[in-house]
Amino acid sequence: MVRSALGVRLWGHTSRWILSKGTVRSCKTRLLSSSSNGSHQSGIMNVITKRHGTILTIGINRPEARNAVNPETASQLVRAFERFEKDPSLTAAVLHGLGGNFCAGFDLKEVANNAASLKVEQDVASGPGPMGPSRMQFSKPVIAAVSGYCVAGGLELSLLADMRVVEESATFGVFCRRFGVPLIDGGTVRLPQLIGLSRALDLILTGRPVKAQEAYAFGLANRVVPDGQGLQSAIELAEHISAFPQKCMRSDRASAYYSTFDATSFRDAMQFEFDHGAEVLVEESVAGASRFAAGEGRKGKL
């Protein structure tokens, strides 16, 4: 596994994901008309992407199944996130679900009718997970806009985001517990790191529903907003963090992930932080110091 200058791993490659042969099936695309605000919108069957300036929204579009993910949808999510990662003009992505729910997990009806749909790449360094992009790590921020049900594999998808903007009536939970379906898309890896082992085990072992306010108290939800405002609030948050000097922000973000998941010691983490932070000092920090000296940002104003 190779790590890039910002500590980002993409299936053993630093520049892009390499899909194993036959992993992603080809699919027909359909063009959707541009929205009235002038932002470009395109659809890839079960996944709809839309560009808002430098922000890319990625929407799961299977409302009839509460946005449960089947293999085709998983492949399309991978393609959408590949586009985001490779496009230098995009600064952040927002993952959401259309029709009132974020994602109800993997489509168990499809599993019941076709056991072959469970066949996925077992080597996590060689291919996608059952939910699609769950094994990806990104060099740029991803925000999840959570509404309705965000359960089972859907919960796991939300955990790949840096932050979760959650609507008041949303529900999290490891609902797959009752059906004997394990968490194999990063749930047992990311959740304890985000909210602590004790609280993570509460969710993992019981499979109980967790509403937005409790999720906020846990640290699972970063923002709680009124119903119907999740997506717009997430886009506004993405725009806010995209306004900062990007190399510095991405370096700090990468260091936080490295110290959490990859560092072998405190010293290793500290060295990574310094080495990669030093790379942006000349490019962005000197100019930032000059702006501060000129009076910008005084009294904590962003």
Side-chain angles (χ1 to χ4, degrees):
M1 192 76 67
V2 181
R3 188 167 57 246
S4 74
L6 289 181
V8 179
R9 296 180 300 172
L10 302 178
W11 277 346
H13 295 264
T14 59
S15 59
R16 63 188 179 93
W17 280 48
I18 303 298
L19 301 182
S20 55
K21 184 177 180 181
T23 296
V24 178
R25 293 179 292 171
S26 61
C27 60
K28 296 179 180 179
T29 61
R30 56 185 172 88
L31 296 179
L32 301 180
S33 59
S34 297
S35 63
S36 58
N37 64 8
S39 56
H40 176 69
Q41 178 172 299
S42 62
I44 309 177
M45 298 175 67
N46 295 337
V47 173
I48 294 177
T49 62
K50 184 176 180 180
R51 182 162 185 155
H52 305 256
T54 66
I55 312 301
L56 183 70
T57 58
I58 300 173
I60 305 173
N61 187 34
R62 297 192 74 216
E64 73 284 355
R66 291 182 175 173
N67 290 325
V69 169
N70 60 7
E72 185 65 38
T73 307
S75 296
Q76 293 165 21
L77 282 170
V78 168
R79 291 164 65 95
F81 275 106
E82 282 183 316
R83 171 191 168 190
F84 162 66
E85 182 65 22
K86 292 188 291 186
D87 189 338
S89 69
L90 293 171
T91 57
V94 174
L95 176 63
H96 67 107
L98 285 83
N101 292 289
F102 181 77
C103 176
F106 196 81
D107 192 339
L108 296 184
K109 291 182 180 179
E110 182 144 347
V111 175
N113 296 326
N114 179 19
S117 64
L118 281 175
K119 292 183 179 180
V120 294
E121 177 57 59
Q122 294 185 13
D123 183 354
V124 299
S126 301
M131 296 294 294
S134 56
R135 296 172 181 172
M136 292 182 81
Q137 293 176 288
F138 306 103
S139 64
K140 298 177 284 189
V142 175
I143 298 171
V146 177
S147 60
Y149 283 103
C150 177
V151 298
L155 169 61
E156 293 183 285
L157 277 184
S158 78
L159 299 179
L160 67 79
D162 300 286
M163 291 183 281
R164 282 148 295 283
V165 176
V166 180
E167 295 188 0
E168 290 175 331
S169 65
T171 299
F172 293 92
V174 185
F175 283 14
C176 50
R177 177 60 54 234
R178 69 192 74 173
F179 303 114
V181 180
L183 297 172
I184 54 175
D185 280 275
T188 65
V189 178
R190 292 186 173 105
L191 190 60
Q193 294 289 350
L194 289 174
I195 65 174
L197 180 60
S198 178
R199 285 172 168 168
L201 287 175
D202 183 355
L203 273 66
I204 292 169
L205 298 182
T206 68
R208 68 180 180 87
V210 173
K211 302 300 290 184
Q213 288 299 332
E214 185 178 12
Y216 182 74
F218 275 8
L220 179 57
N222 299 90
R223 307 280 193 279
V224 176
V225 300
D227 289 350
Q229 296 183 22
L231 178 58
Q232 183 58 39
S233 296
I235 292 172
E236 291 173 359
L237 178 58
E239 290 172 340
H240 175 72
I241 61 179
S242 294
F244 294 126
Q246 290 297 288
K247 290 184 179 180
C248 180
M249 186 271 292
R250 292 178 190 177
S251 176
D252 286 347
R253 176 186 177 277
S255 180
Y257 274 107
Y258 183 80
S259 66
T260 300
F261 292 104
D262 295 315
T264 58
S265 65
F266 176 75
R267 179 178 177 179
D268 178 30
M270 292 291 286
Q271 193 65 57
F272 184 97
E273 179 189 63
F274 179 82
D275 290 345
H276 294 84
E279 294 177 2
V280 302
L281 284 173
V282 175
E283 294 186 58
E284 292 184 343
S285 302
V286 173
S290 298
R291 295 201 311 273
F292 177 80
E296 183 178 330
R298 296 294 173 85
K299 298 182 180 181
K301 183 177 180 180
L302 295 176

